[in-house]
Every structure is written in C-alpha cells, then in structure tokens.
Amino acid sequence: AQTVTQSQPEMSVQEAETVTLSCTYDTSESNYYLFWYKQPPSRQMILVIRQEAYKQQNATENRFSVNFQKAAKSFSLKISDSQLGDTAMYFCAFMKHTFAGGTSYGKLTFGQGTILTVHP
Amino acid sequence: DAGVTQSPTHLIKTRGQQVTLRCSPKSGHDTVSWYQQALGQGPQFIFQYYEEEERQRGNFPDRFSGHQFPNYSSELNVNALLLGDSALYLCASSFQPYNEQFFGPGTRLTVL
C-alpha cells in the first residue's frame, strides 16, 4: 500500500517570503502522479500543482513550484512571494495507475496535511 | 461552468440512523470519487464510481454504499451510523477515472 508522509504539522511564513513544504511517499510503482492540494478554512479542496512521475522536469504554476526527487521519493512544494490568501491546510497526494478491463483507474492517497499560516 | 456541487452542506443524525449524501460532478466529468475527512486529518478514499459501477473501494465497511446515475451524479449512503462516522465527506469528479480530481465543498456529517 502507498503511504504519504508530511512531517511538518504546521508552518508559518511572513508575507512576500518563500516557504517550502515537505512530502515523502512510499511506493513500488513506477507510473504515478503526485499532487499538492490546498484546503482553506472555507474547506473547498483546490488543486495547486501536479507532477507526472515519468517527467523529470519539475512542475511550476506561477508562484508554486515543486522539487520532485523520484529516487528519494520526495515531493516538496515551494511557495514564493507568499500572500495572505495562501493561508490554508496543504495536502500532498499520490495517485497510482491501475488497469482493469481496459480502463485506467486512480485513487488519491493523502498525507496528514501541513497547516500554513502567512503573517502580514 | 458549475463546479462540483454537494448537498446538503451540514447534516446531524443520531447513532443507528441512515444518511444519503449527494454529489453532482463538474460539467464534462464522468467519474465520481468519495472521500471521508476526519477533523484535522487528510481525506481517506471510500470508493469510486465510473459507468454507474463501483470500480475501486477503500478500506470502508459495507455500511458505506453508493450509486451513480446515468447523468453521472452520485449518492453516498451510510447505514447504521456510528459516532466515528462524524466527518467531512468530500466528493471529487474527474473526466475518466485516472485524471485529476476536482473537489466539491463537502458535507459535514455529525452523528450524535
């Protein structure tokens, strides 16, 4: 079974600074996706960024970027120029690729989450 | 373009009762997955529906069941409610079962 570990229960950062959230995962699969989701206090889960395991290039979405180390099974999220609206719970998630009956399936396995607080 | 919607927003039930939660997927999506999120925890996968059939299931008892309708909307049913079933229930939809999932706002279930 896959496991996802986020070792930082809480993090804080000053507005406009950079913060990195850590995530490690355990899998024997070679074909999978990794995601970072954000869940603000309003609770709607929002996709921040995704990474395909077969891609060596790290994904980037505006102020958000990842450092994907496949051999180390590490997938950290860097938030640059932090904004007050970045305050939220951040979840790292893993999706493995399963084939059955000619169709591919995937389910998300989440880490425990990291509460990020951005201070003015 | 409406995103994933869920109803009701909040629900209070007593032990032993049964509950039905509803989810409408994002326009163009055909797959619905359900997750249970206990307070302060990451979501746990319950099951996934595609082509009106349960395709994958997490480690949840048979008290948890579901259904997907021809219009791709879905229901989650929980029978014989326990106090431990109190949680936020999240629905996520995707186009095909192995693409990125978009989440709804969730239904907060409280079992007394």
Side-chain angles (χ1 to χ4, degrees):
Chain A
Q2 286 71 35
T3 58
V4 178
T5 302
Q6 295 179 247
S7 59
Q8 306 154 314
E10 294 187 42
M11 294 280 284
S12 63
V13 65
Q14 293 296 125
E15 201 174 4
E17 293 188 345
T18 296
V19 64
T20 298
L21 308 184
S22 301
C23 172
T24 58
Y25 59 95
D26 185 24
T27 184
S28 57
E29 306 289 333
S30 58
N31 187 11
Y32 53 88
Y33 285 144
L34 293 163
F35 304 87
W36 279 98
Y37 281 90
K38 167 186 176 181
Q39 190 175 40
S42 65
R43 82 183 180 208
Q44 180 117 22
M45 194 85 74
I46 302 165
L47 178 65
V48 174
I49 199 166
R50 63 180 270 172
Q51 175 79 43
E52 292 89 342
Y54 65 87
K55 289 187 177 179
Q56 291 186 335
Q57 185 173 6
N58 290 322
T60 298
E61 286 287 342
N62 301 313
R63 298 184 294 108
F64 300 88
S65 62
V66 299
N67 183 5
F68 174 48
Q69 301 290 327
K70 191 172 183 179
K73 297 180 182 175
S74 170
F75 182 61
S76 60
L77 174 69
K78 185 172 83 171
I79 305 174
S80 304
D81 186 25
S82 297
Q83 300 176 359
L84 296 178
D86 295 334
T87 292
M89 175 84 95
Y90 286 79
F91 291 100
C92 177
F94 171 99
M95 179 187 283
K96 76 169 185 177
H97 206 173
T98 303
F99 290 99
T103 300
S104 298
Y105 296 96
K107 66 177 184 181
L108 290 166
T109 299
F110 287 86
Q112 307 93 314
T114 295
I115 299 172
L116 174 67
T117 304
V118 180
H119 298 285
Chain B
D1 176 25
V4 181
T5 60
Q6 292 186 243
S7 63
T9 304
H10 296 89
L11 206 51
I12 299 175
K13 292 286 187 179
T14 57
R15 280 178 296 175
Q17 285 190 312
Q18 178 265 343
V19 68
T20 297
L21 311 181
R22 294 176 176 82
C23 171
S24 290
K26 183 177 168 66
S27 177
H29 286 184
D30 56 9
T31 303
V32 173
S33 302
W34 286 92
Y35 295 83
Q36 180 193 66
Q37 185 179 19
L39 197 61
Q41 306 278 328
Q44 298 289 317
F45 175 75
I46 303 175
F47 43 51
Q48 182 180 71
Y49 276 84
Y50 172 65
E51 294 183 331
E52 301 180 47
E53 290 188 16
E54 182 183 297
R55 300 292 182 166
Q56 297 186 90
R57 189 179 183 92
N59 189 26
F60 279 81
D62 292 344
R63 298 187 297 109
F64 290 76
S65 63
H67 189 78
Q68 185 179 35
F69 299 93
N71 67 353
Y72 308 119
S73 67
S74 176
E75 288 181 349
L76 164 65
N77 301 293
V78 187
N79 294 321
L81 285 167
L82 304 173
L83 295 179
D85 295 331
S86 294
L88 181 67
Y89 288 85
L90 296 169
C91 166
S93 74
S94 59
F95 172 66
Q96 298 288 289
Y98 186 61
N99 282 314
E100 65 186 61
Q101 297 182 7
F102 293 79
F103 283 80
T107 294
R108 171 70 66 190
L109 172 65
T110 301
V111 182
L112 302 177

